[in-house]
Amino acid sequence: MKLKFWGVRGSIPSPGEKTVRYGGNTTCLEVRTDANELIILDGGTGIFPLAQTLLKELPVKAHIFNTHSHWDHIQGLPFFVPIFIPGNTITLYAAFDPISGEGPERIVNVQLQYSFFPVREAEMKSHFDYVALMPLEAISIGEAKVMPIMLNHPVVNLGYRIDCNGKSIFFTGDHEPHFNIYDSSDEGYAEYQTLIEEQRASIVEAIRGVDVIVADSAYTIEEYPGKKGWGHGTFDSCIQLAKDAGAKVLFCTHHEPTRSDDDLEKVFAEALARQADIIDGLDIRLAREGDEITL
Amino acid sequence: MTESSSELTKKLSEAVEKMPAFPKSVQRILELSREINCPPKELVMVIEKDPVMTMKLLRILNSAYYSFPKQITSVNQSVVYLGLNTIKNMALSFAAMGSLPPHNAAGFDVQQYLMHSLTTASIARAVCMKYSHDDTDPADCYIAGLLHDFGKVVFAQFMAEEFKEALERSAAESIPLHVAEQQIIGTDHTVVGGMLVEKWQFPKQLTDNIRNHHSEILPKNTVQSCLFVANQISKKLALGNAGNPVAEEIPPVLQEHLGADLEGIIVGLGDISKLTSEARVFAQVGKGD
């Protein structure tokens, strides 16, 4: 299995000289199974350069798994050129949205309206399907299995574990470790703490033994208190998750749009130093646009 | 009742989706949703005091779209599983439907109903914490208390004429309301409440507790015992009014199960004014009501 990063930036595309090394595109990961089936994790702006490479291998059969419907994870979808080419088969997988009562089709419907985008949904020429996912019910893509896992973000967010012939990758999408909404002196504190611990344990159980984790490490621990509840993790929380799951490699992603490459490396090094005692053999890297890894 | 039970369930279930929530929670949700840093626990407190919002939330969370590791029975669980912002926006969509009017064609006082449901819920939780001999979760007793009479508010909204007649007969003849409902409607609020939550795939225990809260069969579990006792205490102390003038006796087996009789439990609970004053503010009923 192969994994390639096409977009590692959070929130908004951030091109410029200060982000040129790690890249300014928003979230998009390309996964190739051993049989070369194409799985795309999220359609942030990184999906546009990915799309250019696919034009050489028509007809395209792509399985796009969307972690959640925030802009930085969907904005590139209308520019995923294969959707307009007859003969291509594209499937978009995502969670059911409890507020609108709609599934993945809404992600496309909302964007392909004439005042926002010149081409209407009806004018897409590829064969385009939607699949609404249920947590912990795996989807088979050839020999690979993709397992959606419910995480914690201001909108329903599914992380995806991909297993193929004994190798595995887990991508969180956007995720903030659960925190107790009560003060320790409140009546509801203990009950809520139990619920959180059960939920954390079920996440760790679902990703146990995974080879590679790609996780949302938007913030430093200094920044986090001011951003609590915004739905993102820290470098430190990602290291903890990777250790708990027994992963071999951790890629930190969802880099803050205002963070320069130099600052990114600085805060990353500080987190590694702070967590030196628990790292113990875990290979931790910053996700970088264009990097790829073969498992 | 001429309709088959599945037709009735379908009709009432669709009607409940459009049912507005209670005025105080609608007002508080609208206020809280304007605060970008809305305190999460306040949001939970508002939703878990409103039977309509709680019912709708649990309906979506227990639906086939989410296969959570266990069925959802509390608002706190829903926040942990789906995230605070999603729950906030769901509550906002419920609030957008307006508020239940205090007066309806059945003459059923929904504020007094809410007061009865809230006090039953709080007392059931308190009884569980003090008298339970097993590991029953007090939160399960709270939710059973909050939702046990939901069928009545459904009747008041959607079968107003028949329900009005049942309320009047129950008062005039001093018979339990569910008996009057059976005579006039052909079914009662325990059956309708149970049918709805069963259709919405609520946990079986909660469905059973709603369905059996007037059952002749003695309660089989701690939640059922706590609910039964709390329901009678709420009626006996006139903490709200859900239209039933009859407080039932506590069966001896249940007294044995909890290790106390009704008077003993009332004394044992101590000062319940905190529970009732919170409920009173939320239900917007005056002290003298």
Short mmCIF file of all heavy atoms in Angstrom, two decimals, chain A residues 80-140:
data_model
loop_
_atom_site.label_atom_id
_atom_site.label_comp_id
_atom_site.label_asym_id
_atom_site.label_seq_id
_atom_site.Cartn_x
_atom_site.Cartn_y
_atom_site.Cartn_z
N PHE A 80 -12.02 18.44 -9.19
CA PHE A 80 -11.48 17.09 -9.41
C PHE A 80 -11.92 16.70 -10.82
O PHE A 80 -12.99 16.14 -11.04
CB PHE A 80 -12.03 16.14 -8.34
CG PHE A 80 -11.44 14.76 -8.41
CD1 PHE A 80 -10.07 14.56 -8.25
CD2 PHE A 80 -12.25 13.65 -8.63
CE1 PHE A 80 -9.52 13.29 -8.31
CE2 PHE A 80 -11.70 12.37 -8.69
CZ PHE A 80 -10.34 12.20 -8.53
N VAL A 81 -11.07 17.04 -11.77
CA VAL A 81 -11.44 17.00 -13.20
C VAL A 81 -12.07 15.67 -13.64
O VAL A 81 -12.99 15.67 -14.46
CB VAL A 81 -10.20 17.37 -14.06
CG1 VAL A 81 -10.55 17.36 -15.53
CG2 VAL A 81 -9.68 18.74 -13.63
N PRO A 82 -11.62 14.52 -13.11
CA PRO A 82 -12.21 13.26 -13.57
C PRO A 82 -13.74 13.20 -13.43
O PRO A 82 -14.38 12.41 -14.14
CB PRO A 82 -11.54 12.22 -12.68
CG PRO A 82 -10.21 12.79 -12.36
CD PRO A 82 -10.45 14.28 -12.22
N ILE A 83 -14.35 14.02 -12.58
CA ILE A 83 -15.81 13.94 -12.44
C ILE A 83 -16.53 14.42 -13.71
O ILE A 83 -17.70 14.10 -13.91
CB ILE A 83 -16.36 14.72 -11.21
CG1 ILE A 83 -16.10 16.23 -11.30
CG2 ILE A 83 -15.83 14.16 -9.91
CD1 ILE A 83 -16.71 17.02 -10.14
N PHE A 84 -15.82 15.16 -14.55
CA PHE A 84 -16.47 15.69 -15.76
C PHE A 84 -16.21 14.84 -17.00
O PHE A 84 -16.67 15.16 -18.09
CB PHE A 84 -15.99 17.13 -16.01
CG PHE A 84 -16.26 18.04 -14.85
CD1 PHE A 84 -15.22 18.54 -14.07
CD2 PHE A 84 -17.56 18.38 -14.53
CE1 PHE A 84 -15.49 19.36 -12.98
CE2 PHE A 84 -17.84 19.20 -13.44
CZ PHE A 84 -16.79 19.69 -12.66
N ILE A 85 -15.44 13.77 -16.85
CA ILE A 85 -15.03 12.99 -18.03
C ILE A 85 -15.83 11.69 -18.12
O ILE A 85 -15.81 10.88 -17.18
CB ILE A 85 -13.51 12.69 -17.96
CG1 ILE A 85 -12.73 14.01 -17.91
CG2 ILE A 85 -13.07 11.83 -19.14
CD1 ILE A 85 -11.24 13.85 -17.69
N PRO A 86 -16.54 11.49 -19.23
CA PRO A 86 -17.34 10.27 -19.38
C PRO A 86 -16.44 9.03 -19.26
O PRO A 86 -15.28 9.06 -19.67
CB PRO A 86 -17.93 10.37 -20.78
CG PRO A 86 -17.79 11.80 -21.18
CD PRO A 86 -16.62 12.35 -20.43
N GLY A 87 -16.99 7.99 -18.68
CA GLY A 87 -16.23 6.73 -18.55
C GLY A 87 -15.58 6.59 -17.19
O GLY A 87 -15.23 5.48 -16.77
N ASN A 88 -15.42 7.69 -16.46
CA ASN A 88 -14.85 7.59 -15.12
C ASN A 88 -15.93 7.20 -14.11
O ASN A 88 -17.10 7.53 -14.28
CB ASN A 88 -14.24 8.92 -14.68
CG ASN A 88 -12.99 9.25 -15.48
OD1 ASN A 88 -12.38 8.37 -16.08
ND2 ASN A 88 -12.63 10.52 -15.52
N THR A 89 -15.49 6.52 -13.08
CA THR A 89 -16.43 6.13 -12.01
C THR A 89 -15.91 6.68 -10.70
O THR A 89 -14.81 6.34 -10.27
CB THR A 89 -16.52 4.59 -11.90
OG1 THR A 89 -16.79 4.08 -13.19
CG2 THR A 89 -17.61 4.18 -10.93
N ILE A 90 -16.70 7.54 -10.09
CA ILE A 90 -16.27 8.17 -8.84
C ILE A 90 -17.33 7.86 -7.77
O ILE A 90 -18.53 8.01 -8.02
CB ILE A 90 -16.20 9.72 -8.96
CG1 ILE A 90 -15.63 10.16 -10.31
CG2 ILE A 90 -15.45 10.33 -7.77
CD1 ILE A 90 -14.18 10.02 -10.52
N THR A 91 -16.88 7.47 -6.60
CA THR A 91 -17.82 7.25 -5.49
C THR A 91 -17.39 8.13 -4.33
O THR A 91 -16.21 8.13 -3.97
CB THR A 91 -17.82 5.76 -5.05
OG1 THR A 91 -18.00 4.96 -6.21
CG2 THR A 91 -18.95 5.49 -4.07
N LEU A 92 -18.35 8.85 -3.80
CA LEU A 92 -18.06 9.70 -2.64
C LEU A 92 -18.71 9.07 -1.40
O LEU A 92 -19.92 8.86 -1.37
CB LEU A 92 -18.61 11.11 -2.86
CG LEU A 92 -18.38 12.10 -1.71
CD1 LEU A 92 -16.89 12.39 -1.51
CD2 LEU A 92 -19.12 13.42 -1.96
N TYR A 93 -17.88 8.77 -0.42
CA TYR A 93 -18.34 8.14 0.82
C TYR A 93 -18.25 9.17 1.94
O TYR A 93 -17.23 9.85 2.08
CB TYR A 93 -17.45 6.97 1.21
CG TYR A 93 -17.28 5.89 0.16
CD1 TYR A 93 -16.38 6.06 -0.90
CD2 TYR A 93 -17.99 4.70 0.23
CE1 TYR A 93 -16.20 5.06 -1.85
CE2 TYR A 93 -17.82 3.69 -0.72
CZ TYR A 93 -16.92 3.88 -1.75
OH TYR A 93 -16.74 2.88 -2.69
N ALA A 94 -19.29 9.28 2.76
CA ALA A 94 -19.24 10.20 3.90
C ALA A 94 -20.34 9.84 4.89
O ALA A 94 -21.18 8.97 4.62
CB ALA A 94 -19.40 11.64 3.43
N ALA A 95 -20.34 10.54 5.99
CA ALA A 95 -21.33 10.27 7.04
C ALA A 95 -22.68 10.90 6.68
O ALA A 95 -22.76 11.80 5.84
CB ALA A 95 -20.84 10.84 8.36
N PHE A 96 -23.70 10.43 7.35
CA PHE A 96 -25.03 11.02 7.28
C PHE A 96 -25.02 12.24 8.21
O PHE A 96 -24.48 12.18 9.31
CB PHE A 96 -26.04 9.98 7.77
CG PHE A 96 -27.42 10.51 7.98
CD1 PHE A 96 -28.28 10.68 6.92
CD2 PHE A 96 -27.87 10.81 9.27
CE1 PHE A 96 -29.56 11.16 7.12
CE2 PHE A 96 -29.14 11.29 9.48
CZ PHE A 96 -29.99 11.46 8.40
N ASP A 97 -25.59 13.34 7.74
CA ASP A 97 -25.60 14.56 8.55
C ASP A 97 -26.93 14.69 9.29
O ASP A 97 -27.98 14.82 8.67
CB ASP A 97 -25.38 15.77 7.63
CG ASP A 97 -25.59 17.08 8.38
OD1 ASP A 97 -25.20 17.14 9.56
OD2 ASP A 97 -26.15 18.02 7.80
N PRO A 98 -26.88 14.66 10.62
CA PRO A 98 -28.14 14.65 11.38
C PRO A 98 -28.90 15.97 11.34
O PRO A 98 -30.09 16.00 11.63
CB PRO A 98 -27.69 14.33 12.82
CG PRO A 98 -26.28 14.76 12.88
CD PRO A 98 -25.71 14.60 11.51
N ILE A 99 -28.22 17.05 10.99
CA ILE A 99 -28.91 18.34 10.99
C ILE A 99 -29.73 18.51 9.71
O ILE A 99 -30.92 18.83 9.74
CB ILE A 99 -27.90 19.52 11.09
CG1 ILE A 99 -26.93 19.31 12.26
CG2 ILE A 99 -28.62 20.85 11.18
CD1 ILE A 99 -27.55 19.36 13.63
N SER A 100 -29.10 18.24 8.57
CA SER A 100 -29.82 18.40 7.30
C SER A 100 -30.64 17.17 6.97
O SER A 100 -31.54 17.21 6.15
CB SER A 100 -28.83 18.67 6.17
OG SER A 100 -27.98 17.55 6.01
N GLY A 101 -30.31 16.04 7.62
CA GLY A 101 -30.98 14.79 7.29
C GLY A 101 -30.55 14.25 5.94
O GLY A 101 -31.27 13.46 5.33
N GLU A 102 -29.37 14.66 5.48
CA GLU A 102 -28.90 14.18 4.17
C GLU A 102 -27.54 13.50 4.28
O GLU A 102 -26.81 13.70 5.24
CB GLU A 102 -28.78 15.37 3.20
CG GLU A 102 -30.13 15.95 2.80
CD GLU A 102 -29.96 17.10 1.82
OE1 GLU A 102 -29.50 16.86 0.69
OE2 GLU A 102 -30.26 18.23 2.21
N GLY A 103 -27.21 12.76 3.27
CA GLY A 103 -25.93 12.04 3.23
C GLY A 103 -24.91 12.80 2.40
O GLY A 103 -24.99 14.03 2.27
N PRO A 104 -23.93 12.07 1.80
CA PRO A 104 -22.82 12.70 1.08
C PRO A 104 -23.25 13.56 -0.10
O PRO A 104 -22.52 14.46 -0.50
CB PRO A 104 -22.01 11.52 0.56
CG PRO A 104 -22.50 10.33 1.27
CD PRO A 104 -23.84 10.61 1.83
N GLU A 105 -24.43 13.30 -0.67
CA GLU A 105 -24.86 14.06 -1.85
C GLU A 105 -24.90 15.56 -1.56
O GLU A 105 -24.65 16.39 -2.43
CB GLU A 105 -26.22 13.57 -2.37
CG GLU A 105 -27.40 13.73 -1.44
CD GLU A 105 -27.51 12.65 -0.36
OE1 GLU A 105 -26.60 11.82 -0.27
OE2 GLU A 105 -28.50 12.67 0.38
N ARG A 106 -25.15 15.89 -0.30
CA ARG A 106 -25.25 17.31 0.06
C ARG A 106 -23.92 18.05 -0.15
O ARG A 106 -23.90 19.22 -0.50
CB ARG A 106 -25.68 17.40 1.53
CG ARG A 106 -25.84 18.82 2.04
CD ARG A 106 -26.45 18.78 3.43
NE ARG A 106 -26.17 19.98 4.18
CZ ARG A 106 -26.86 21.09 4.09
NH1 ARG A 106 -27.89 21.15 3.28
NH2 ARG A 106 -26.54 22.15 4.81
N ILE A 107 -22.81 17.32 0.08
CA ILE A 107 -21.48 17.94 -0.07
C ILE A 107 -21.30 18.46 -1.50
O ILE A 107 -20.73 19.53 -1.72
CB ILE A 107 -20.38 16.90 0.27
CG1 ILE A 107 -20.44 16.56 1.77
CG2 ILE A 107 -19.00 17.37 -0.14
CD1 ILE A 107 -19.54 15.42 2.18
N VAL A 108 -21.81 17.71 -2.46
CA VAL A 108 -21.67 18.11 -3.86
C VAL A 108 -22.77 19.10 -4.25
O VAL A 108 -22.51 20.14 -4.86
CB VAL A 108 -21.67 16.86 -4.77
CG1 VAL A 108 -21.68 17.27 -6.24
CG2 VAL A 108 -20.44 16.01 -4.47
N ASN A 109 -24.03 18.78 -3.84
CA ASN A 109 -25.17 19.66 -4.18
C ASN A 109 -24.91 21.10 -3.77
O ASN A 109 -25.20 22.04 -4.51
CB ASN A 109 -26.43 19.28 -3.38
CG ASN A 109 -26.95 17.93 -3.75
OD1 ASN A 109 -26.60 17.43 -4.82
ND2 ASN A 109 -27.76 17.33 -2.91
N VAL A 110 -24.39 21.27 -2.56
CA VAL A 110 -24.21 22.61 -2.03
C VAL A 110 -23.18 23.40 -2.84
O VAL A 110 -23.36 24.57 -3.10
CB VAL A 110 -23.80 22.52 -0.52
CG1 VAL A 110 -23.25 23.85 -0.03
CG2 VAL A 110 -24.97 22.08 0.32
N GLN A 111 -22.14 22.71 -3.28
CA GLN A 111 -21.08 23.43 -4.00
C GLN A 111 -21.42 23.69 -5.46
O GLN A 111 -21.04 24.72 -6.01
CB GLN A 111 -19.78 22.62 -3.93
CG GLN A 111 -19.21 22.54 -2.53
CD GLN A 111 -17.80 21.99 -2.56
OE1 GLN A 111 -16.83 22.72 -2.77
NE2 GLN A 111 -17.66 20.69 -2.35
N LEU A 112 -22.11 22.73 -6.08
CA LEU A 112 -22.37 22.88 -7.52
C LEU A 112 -23.69 23.60 -7.77
O LEU A 112 -24.61 23.07 -8.37
CB LEU A 112 -22.36 21.51 -8.22
CG LEU A 112 -21.05 20.72 -8.13
CD1 LEU A 112 -21.06 19.56 -9.10
CD2 LEU A 112 -19.83 21.58 -8.39
N GLN A 113 -23.76 24.82 -7.30
CA GLN A 113 -24.91 25.67 -7.58
C GLN A 113 -24.41 26.83 -8.43
O GLN A 113 -23.27 27.28 -8.23
CB GLN A 113 -25.52 26.19 -6.28
CG GLN A 113 -26.08 25.07 -5.42
CD GLN A 113 -26.68 25.60 -4.13
OE1 GLN A 113 -27.38 26.60 -4.14
NE2 GLN A 113 -26.40 24.94 -3.04
N TYR A 114 -25.26 27.33 -9.30
CA TYR A 114 -24.74 28.18 -10.38
C TYR A 114 -24.04 29.43 -9.88
O TYR A 114 -23.11 29.92 -10.49
CB TYR A 114 -25.84 28.51 -11.39
CG TYR A 114 -26.58 29.79 -11.08
CD1 TYR A 114 -26.23 30.98 -11.71
CD2 TYR A 114 -27.59 29.81 -10.13
CE1 TYR A 114 -26.88 32.15 -11.40
CE2 TYR A 114 -28.24 30.98 -9.82
CZ TYR A 114 -27.89 32.15 -10.46
OH TYR A 114 -28.52 33.31 -10.14
N SER A 115 -24.45 29.95 -8.71
CA SER A 115 -23.81 31.17 -8.24
C SER A 115 -22.45 30.90 -7.59
O SER A 115 -21.66 31.81 -7.40
CB SER A 115 -24.71 31.92 -7.26
OG SER A 115 -25.21 31.04 -6.31
N PHE A 116 -22.17 29.63 -7.28
CA PHE A 116 -20.89 29.30 -6.64
C PHE A 116 -19.93 28.59 -7.60
O PHE A 116 -18.73 28.59 -7.41
CB PHE A 116 -21.11 28.40 -5.42
CG PHE A 116 -22.00 29.04 -4.39
CD1 PHE A 116 -23.20 28.45 -4.05
CD2 PHE A 116 -21.64 30.23 -3.78
CE1 PHE A 116 -24.02 29.04 -3.11
CE2 PHE A 116 -22.46 30.82 -2.84
CZ PHE A 116 -23.66 30.23 -2.51
N PHE A 117 -20.51 27.93 -8.61
CA PHE A 117 -19.68 27.13 -9.52
C PHE A 117 -20.42 27.03 -10.85
O PHE A 117 -21.63 26.87 -10.87
CB PHE A 117 -19.45 25.74 -8.92
CG PHE A 117 -18.30 25.01 -9.55
CD1 PHE A 117 -16.99 25.36 -9.25
CD2 PHE A 117 -18.53 23.99 -10.47
CE1 PHE A 117 -15.93 24.71 -9.85
CE2 PHE A 117 -17.46 23.33 -11.07
CZ PHE A 117 -16.16 23.69 -10.74
N PRO A 118 -19.69 27.15 -11.97
CA PRO A 118 -20.39 27.27 -13.25
C PRO A 118 -21.04 25.98 -13.77
O PRO A 118 -21.91 26.03 -14.63
CB PRO A 118 -19.28 27.74 -14.21
CG PRO A 118 -18.01 27.30 -13.56
CD PRO A 118 -18.24 27.33 -12.09
N VAL A 119 -20.59 24.85 -13.26
CA VAL A 119 -21.13 23.59 -13.77
C VAL A 119 -22.10 23.01 -12.74
O VAL A 119 -21.80 22.98 -11.56
CB VAL A 119 -19.99 22.58 -14.05
CG1 VAL A 119 -20.54 21.32 -14.69
CG2 VAL A 119 -18.92 23.21 -14.91
N ARG A 120 -23.26 22.58 -13.23
CA ARG A 120 -24.23 22.01 -12.30
C ARG A 120 -23.98 20.52 -12.09
O ARG A 120 -23.33 19.87 -12.92
CB ARG A 120 -25.65 22.21 -12.86
CG ARG A 120 -26.08 23.69 -12.87
CD ARG A 120 -27.44 23.83 -13.51
NE ARG A 120 -27.48 23.24 -14.85
CZ ARG A 120 -28.33 22.29 -15.22
NH1 ARG A 120 -29.25 21.85 -14.37
NH2 ARG A 120 -28.30 21.78 -16.43
N GLU A 121 -24.54 20.01 -11.00
CA GLU A 121 -24.32 18.60 -10.67
C GLU A 121 -24.76 17.71 -11.83
O GLU A 121 -24.11 16.71 -12.16
CB GLU A 121 -25.09 18.26 -9.40
CG GLU A 121 -24.71 16.92 -8.82
CD GLU A 121 -25.59 16.52 -7.65
OE1 GLU A 121 -26.50 17.28 -7.29
OE2 GLU A 121 -25.36 15.42 -7.11
N ALA A 122 -25.87 18.10 -12.48
CA ALA A 122 -26.41 17.28 -13.58
C ALA A 122 -25.47 17.23 -14.78
O ALA A 122 -25.61 16.37 -15.65
CB ALA A 122 -27.77 17.84 -14.00
N GLU A 123 -24.53 18.15 -14.82
CA GLU A 123 -23.61 18.20 -15.97
C GLU A 123 -22.31 17.41 -15.76
O GLU A 123 -21.46 17.40 -16.63
CB GLU A 123 -23.29 19.67 -16.30
CG GLU A 123 -24.51 20.42 -16.82
CD GLU A 123 -24.34 21.93 -16.86
OE1 GLU A 123 -23.77 22.51 -15.90
OE2 GLU A 123 -24.78 22.53 -17.83
N MET A 124 -22.17 16.79 -14.60
CA MET A 124 -21.00 15.94 -14.41
C MET A 124 -21.17 14.73 -15.33
O MET A 124 -22.22 14.10 -15.33
CB MET A 124 -20.93 15.46 -12.95
CG MET A 124 -20.64 16.56 -11.96
SD MET A 124 -20.19 15.93 -10.33
CE MET A 124 -21.61 15.00 -9.84
N LYS A 125 -20.15 14.42 -16.10
CA LYS A 125 -20.31 13.36 -17.09
C LYS A 125 -19.82 11.99 -16.63
O LYS A 125 -20.04 10.98 -17.28
CB LYS A 125 -19.58 13.74 -18.40
CG LYS A 125 -20.16 14.97 -19.07
CD LYS A 125 -21.59 14.68 -19.58
CE LYS A 125 -22.19 15.92 -20.22
NZ LYS A 125 -23.64 16.00 -19.96
N SER A 126 -19.11 11.96 -15.52
CA SER A 126 -18.66 10.66 -15.02
C SER A 126 -19.85 9.95 -14.37
O SER A 126 -20.89 10.54 -14.13
CB SER A 126 -17.57 10.86 -13.98
OG SER A 126 -18.10 11.53 -12.86
N HIS A 127 -19.62 8.68 -14.05
CA HIS A 127 -20.62 7.97 -13.24
C HIS A 127 -20.29 8.29 -11.79
O HIS A 127 -19.24 7.90 -11.29
CB HIS A 127 -20.52 6.48 -13.52
CG HIS A 127 -21.55 5.69 -12.79
ND1 HIS A 127 -22.87 5.63 -13.21
CD2 HIS A 127 -21.49 4.99 -11.64
CE1 HIS A 127 -23.56 4.91 -12.34
NE2 HIS A 127 -22.74 4.51 -11.38
N PHE A 128 -21.16 9.04 -11.12
CA PHE A 128 -20.86 9.54 -9.78
C PHE A 128 -21.87 8.98 -8.78
O PHE A 128 -23.05 9.18 -8.92
CB PHE A 128 -20.94 11.08 -9.79
CG PHE A 128 -20.19 11.73 -8.66
CD1 PHE A 128 -19.03 12.46 -8.91
CD2 PHE A 128 -20.62 11.62 -7.36
CE1 PHE A 128 -18.32 13.06 -7.87
CE2 PHE A 128 -19.93 12.21 -6.32
CZ PHE A 128 -18.77 12.94 -6.58
N ASP A 129 -21.36 8.27 -7.79
CA ASP A 129 -22.23 7.64 -6.78
C ASP A 129 -21.96 8.20 -5.40
O ASP A 129 -20.86 8.69 -5.14
CB ASP A 129 -21.91 6.14 -6.67
CG ASP A 129 -22.56 5.35 -7.76
OD1 ASP A 129 -23.60 5.80 -8.27
OD2 ASP A 129 -21.99 4.30 -8.12
N TYR A 130 -22.94 8.05 -4.54
CA TYR A 130 -22.77 8.46 -3.14
C TYR A 130 -23.05 7.28 -2.22
O TYR A 130 -24.00 6.54 -2.45
CB TYR A 130 -23.76 9.58 -2.78
CG TYR A 130 -23.65 10.80 -3.65
CD1 TYR A 130 -24.53 10.99 -4.72
CD2 TYR A 130 -22.67 11.75 -3.42
CE1 TYR A 130 -24.43 12.11 -5.52
CE2 TYR A 130 -22.57 12.87 -4.22
CZ TYR A 130 -23.45 13.04 -5.27
OH TYR A 130 -23.34 14.15 -6.06
N VAL A 131 -22.25 7.16 -1.19
CA VAL A 131 -22.51 6.11 -0.19
C VAL A 131 -22.45 6.74 1.20
O VAL A 131 -21.44 7.33 1.58
CB VAL A 131 -21.46 4.97 -0.29
CG1 VAL A 131 -21.69 3.95 0.82
CG2 VAL A 131 -21.51 4.29 -1.65
N ALA A 132 -23.56 6.64 1.94
CA ALA A 132 -23.57 7.13 3.34
C ALA A 132 -23.03 6.01 4.23
O ALA A 132 -23.46 4.86 4.13
CB ALA A 132 -24.99 7.50 3.75
N LEU A 133 -22.07 6.37 5.04
CA LEU A 133 -21.38 5.36 5.86
C LEU A 133 -21.96 5.28 7.26
O LEU A 133 -22.50 6.26 7.77
CB LEU A 133 -19.90 5.73 5.98
CG LEU A 133 -19.13 5.76 4.67
CD1 LEU A 133 -17.74 6.34 4.93
CD2 LEU A 133 -19.03 4.37 4.08
N MET A 134 -21.79 4.12 7.86
CA MET A 134 -22.12 3.96 9.27
C MET A 134 -20.83 3.66 10.03
O MET A 134 -20.00 2.89 9.55
CB MET A 134 -23.11 2.83 9.45
CG MET A 134 -24.49 3.24 9.04
SD MET A 134 -25.71 2.24 9.85
CE MET A 134 -25.95 1.00 8.64
N PRO A 135 -20.68 4.26 11.22
CA PRO A 135 -19.46 4.02 11.98
C PRO A 135 -19.25 2.51 12.21
O PRO A 135 -20.21 1.79 12.46
CB PRO A 135 -19.71 4.72 13.32
CG PRO A 135 -20.77 5.72 13.03
CD PRO A 135 -21.60 5.16 11.93
N LEU A 136 -18.00 2.12 12.08
CA LEU A 136 -17.56 0.74 12.33
C LEU A 136 -18.11 -0.28 11.35
O LEU A 136 -17.99 -1.48 11.56
CB LEU A 136 -17.87 0.31 13.78
CG LEU A 136 -17.22 1.17 14.87
CD1 LEU A 136 -17.59 0.64 16.26
CD2 LEU A 136 -15.70 1.19 14.73
N GLU A 137 -18.73 0.17 10.26
CA GLU A 137 -19.14 -0.78 9.21
C GLU A 137 -18.21 -0.58 8.02
O GLU A 137 -18.27 0.44 7.32
CB GLU A 137 -20.60 -0.57 8.83
CG GLU A 137 -21.49 -1.04 9.95
CD GLU A 137 -22.92 -1.33 9.52
OE1 GLU A 137 -23.23 -1.22 8.32
OE2 GLU A 137 -23.71 -1.64 10.42
N ALA A 138 -17.32 -1.56 7.82
CA ALA A 138 -16.25 -1.41 6.83
C ALA A 138 -16.76 -1.54 5.40
O ALA A 138 -17.74 -2.22 5.14
CB ALA A 138 -15.17 -2.45 7.10
N ILE A 139 -16.08 -0.84 4.51
CA ILE A 139 -16.36 -0.91 3.07
C ILE A 139 -15.17 -1.63 2.42
O ILE A 139 -14.02 -1.34 2.75
CB ILE A 139 -16.44 0.52 2.48
CG1 ILE A 139 -17.59 1.31 3.10
CG2 ILE A 139 -16.51 0.51 0.96
CD1 ILE A 139 -18.95 1.00 2.56
N SER A 140 -15.44 -2.56 1.52
CA SER A 140 -14.35 -3.24 0.82
C SER A 140 -14.06 -2.56 -0.50
O SER A 140 -14.97 -2.28 -1.28
CB SER A 140 -14.74 -4.70 0.55
OG SER A 140 -14.79 -5.41 1.76
#
